[in-house]
Amino acid sequence: MTEQRVLCDLEQGVFQVTINNPEKLNALDSAIIGALEEAFRRATDDPEVRAVVLTGAGPKAFVAGADITELQVLDPSRVEPFVQRAHRLMDGIESCGKPVIAAVNGYALGGGLELAMACHLRIASSTALLGLPEVKLALLPGYGGTQRLPRLVGRGKALMMMLTGEPVTAAEALASGLVNRVVEPDELEATVQQLARKLANSAPIALRAILDAVLRGGEMPGPEGLAHERRWFVDICATEDMREGTAAFVEKRKAQFRGR
Ligand code: COA
């Protein structure tokens, strides 16, 4: 059953990961978290995977949050490993070394928005609603939301969303930088595929370097972050792909990147 709760498909370097429990608006239960961990382990390890698209099945939701029925009966002695596992998943997505696009096809609430924020890019359908409503359940966002939302939209907007629990529209999310782009619902899939293909054809080591320099380097104090960027620059200048990319420009031809 577990493998069907998360569908995976690799085509031309694009790894499509679809959370598949639309009757429950793709709520993140333990089985789905386990299957996502497995999917992103593959995304990290498989060199054929050059870009990842994460979405939810059905017309209504990306993910409507952590499964509230699991939270309701969660034994206090199990909370620490439970929440650590969710953090491991989010951190694993963020640090998988391949660009991950969230195709936000509807509600992205609570753990659903936290999942989308662990992705590197977010393209939303114009009908999507995005929010962290945990306060309404007398909870706080616990899958990374208190940290990732302020970094994306600033502390003031993040606190407004978290303290009231009210969602924002896709248009508001675009204005605040929470999503990168908003398209009509029937254009979402094609738009995301086009972007994913573009990324899948880019130089993989350069993509990994950019992600790592921004994400890991961004956690370091200024001079260390700059030193981290410099180390990547030195390393990347020794790659075959860098020689190929610069040679292709000079020779006015299309570059062929091999990830070496
Ligand atoms: N956990 C568990 N089940 C959920 C869920 C969640 N986070 N979100 C939705 N579901 C279930 C509903 O219980 C319902 O199940 P049922 O058919 O067995 O009754 C089904 O998904 C459809 O949801 P429903 O509430 O009927 O759809 P709606 O269109 O009326 O409302 C939402 C959509 C998203 C507004 C509403 O489902 C909602 O508020 N969900 C919870 C959001 C939330 O608080 N997330 C953070 C959790 S920490």
Side-chain angles (χ1 to χ4, degrees):
M1 284 306 280
T2 299
E3 53 283 357
Q4 290 161 2
R5 289 292 205 81
V6 170
L7 308 171
C8 295
D9 179 51
L10 177 61
E11 210 178 305
Q12 292 177 49
V14 177
F15 190 50
Q16 172 91 23
V17 180
T18 306
I19 300 165
N20 184 34
N21 192 14
E23 298 77 28
K24 296 286 176 195
L25 306 187
N26 304 316
L28 290 182
D29 60 22
S30 299
I32 289 179
I33 293 209
L36 284 173
E37 279 185 302
E38 209 170 292
F40 277 91
R41 258 196 302 275
R42 177 171 171 201
T44 308
D45 295 341
D46 185 347
E48 299 294 313
V49 173
R50 304 271 291 260
V52 185
V53 172
L54 177 62
T55 195
K60 223 171 138 177
F62 174 72
V63 168
D67 186 326
I68 297 169
T69 61
E70 279 190 358
L71 294 176
Q72 189 198 359
V73 295
L74 187 60
D75 185 317
S77 70
R78 299 286 310 146
V79 175
E80 179 69 31
F82 177 90
V83 78
Q84 267 184 11
R85 189 177 184 212
H87 273 236
R88 211 166 44 236
L89 170 65
M90 306 296 165
D91 294 348
I93 292 171
E94 196 171 65
S95 62
C96 79
K98 323 281 170 78
V100 184
I101 308 167
V104 181
N105 53 314
Y107 290 113
L109 300 175
L113 180 56
E114 290 170 306
L115 188 63
M117 290 192 292
C119 300
H120 306 119
L121 299 170
R122 284 155 292 282
I123 311 288
S125 143
S126 57
T127 54
L129 282 175
L130 304 93
L132 293 177
E134 285 86 346
V135 71
K136 295 182 183 179
L137 304 170
L139 275 169
L140 84 160
Y143 293 0
T146 66
Q147 303 305 300
R148 290 193 175 95
L149 187 61
R151 281 171 209 187
L152 280 166
V153 305
R155 194 177 278 183
K157 287 194 176 100
L159 279 172
M160 182 64 110
M161 284 175 69
M162 285 188 264
L163 293 175
T164 64
E166 294 305 325
V168 296
T169 63
E172 288 166 332
L174 180 66
S176 68
L178 179 53
V179 300
N180 297 92
R181 206 173 151 190
V182 175
V183 296
E184 292 309 308
D186 61 353
E187 292 169 6
L188 182 65
E189 198 181 326
T191 305
V192 170
Q193 280 304 319
Q194 196 182 24
L195 175 60
R197 291 251 153 85
K198 183 183 171 73
L199 295 169
N201 286 321
S202 290
I205 303 173
L207 293 176
R208 182 150 52 87
I210 291 166
L211 290 170
D212 188 72
V214 171
L215 294 165
R216 226 151 54 88
E219 301 298 318
M220 300 172 183
E224 268 182 52
L226 289 169
H228 187 62
E229 179 194 85
R230 275 198 307 278
R231 275 193 299 276
W232 263 117
F233 196 83
V234 169
D235 287 352
I236 211 156
C237 284
T239 63
E240 280 178 31
D241 280 353
M242 181 272 189
R243 295 292 147 205
E244 164 65 7
T246 49
F249 175 80
V250 172
E251 293 161 18
K252 301 191 189 302
R253 60 174 173 82
K254 191 171 169 0
Q256 298 295 331
F257 298 119
R258 296 195 167 74
R260 295 199 290 252

